[in-house]
Amino acid sequence: MDRRGVPIELLAAEFFALNPFNDEVNTNPLRACEQRLRALARDGYVSVVKQHDGRRRRKIVVAANAVNGVLGGRASRRRAPARSGAHHVVTQEVVAKFKRSVEARGGRGVEVKFEADLRAVLQRGRRVRRGDAFPTVPDAVCVVEIPGRCR
């Protein structure tokens, strides 16, 4: 899960497409996902917030304070800023679509880094001051493996 928030539909498609008990196709993965998220929210591990993606308001799942030890920082600081939240959600959808196309060709996704992760590496923990300029970074970088292909 991206620490800045993930649309609930992407979580449902990724983790609830199959029933974990019998590996049959789940008839309603979104409902199964929402049930599990309610339990996690009750225990303080996630929060479900509504965010506009430029087209409509959607449910976005974000890490809550109970996961602070796992994340190595405060979960409440891990969300995308409001001005870029819609962009982040749409970027995640594009990455998920790309991942499905790679898997359809027999490949697999190895790693995804989003813009905020790439900027963090670039800035190396320095605070931004007025007048600072940084090079542009892509919205996301995906590393994939496709059998029979060289790098």
Side-chain angles (χ1 to χ4, degrees), residues 10-76:
L10 292 181
L11 286 177
E14 181 74 22
F15 299 108
F16 294 90
L18 296 176
N19 183 327
F21 301 107
N22 58 17
D23 286 335
E24 291 181 6
V25 174
N26 196 342
T27 57
N28 194 343
L30 186 59
R31 186 182 61 167
C33 181
E34 287 176 335
Q35 285 177 326
R36 182 64 182 138
L37 289 173
R38 275 194 294 276
L40 291 170
R42 264 194 315 272
D43 293 335
Y45 290 104
V46 299
S47 296
V48 179
V49 298
K50 293 208 175 184
Q51 182 173 314
H52 203 278
D53 71 356
R55 292 173 283 179
R56 60 181 165 50
R57 290 185 64 75
R58 300 177 61 178
K59 291 181 182 179
I60 306 296
V61 181
V62 294
N65 288 330
V67 298
N68 285 348
V70 176
L71 292 178
R74 291 189 57 215
S76 59

Side-chain angles (χ1 to χ4, degrees), residues 14-149:
E14 181 74 22
F15 299 108
F16 294 90
L18 296 176
N19 183 327
F21 301 107
N22 58 17
D23 286 335
E24 291 181 6
V25 174
N26 196 342
T27 57
N28 194 343
L30 186 59
R31 186 182 61 167
C33 181
E34 287 176 335
Q35 285 177 326
R36 182 64 182 138
L37 289 173
R38 275 194 294 276
L40 291 170
R42 264 194 315 272
D43 293 335
Y45 290 104
V46 299
S47 296
V48 179
V49 298
K50 293 208 175 184
Q51 182 173 314
H52 203 278
D53 71 356
R55 292 173 283 179
R56 60 181 165 50
R57 290 185 64 75
R58 300 177 61 178
K59 291 181 182 179
I60 306 296
V61 181
V62 294
N65 288 330
V67 298
N68 285 348
V70 176
L71 292 178
R74 291 189 57 215
S76 59
R77 292 186 186 177
R78 299 290 186 177
R79 289 186 213 151
R83 67 184 182 279
S84 62
H87 181 264
H88 184 66
V89 168
V90 173
T91 301
Q92 287 179 324
E93 288 178 333
V94 171
V95 167
K97 185 176 180 180
F98 174 70
K99 182 182 173 201
R100 285 191 301 273
S101 74
V102 167
E103 289 171 350
R105 294 184 299 194
R108 71 179 187 95
V110 176
E111 180 182 25
V112 175
K113 288 189 178 185
F114 289 98
E115 178 183 12
D117 303 315
L118 299 169
R119 284 193 186 284
V121 169
L122 186 66
Q123 292 174 217
R124 293 189 227 41
R126 294 179 304 177
R127 292 192 181 271
V128 177
R129 293 187 297 233
R130 180 175 282 174
D132 282 350
F134 297 97
T136 58
V137 296
D139 294 336
V141 173
C142 303
V143 177
V144 299
E145 288 181 350
I146 298 177
R149 306 269 175 140

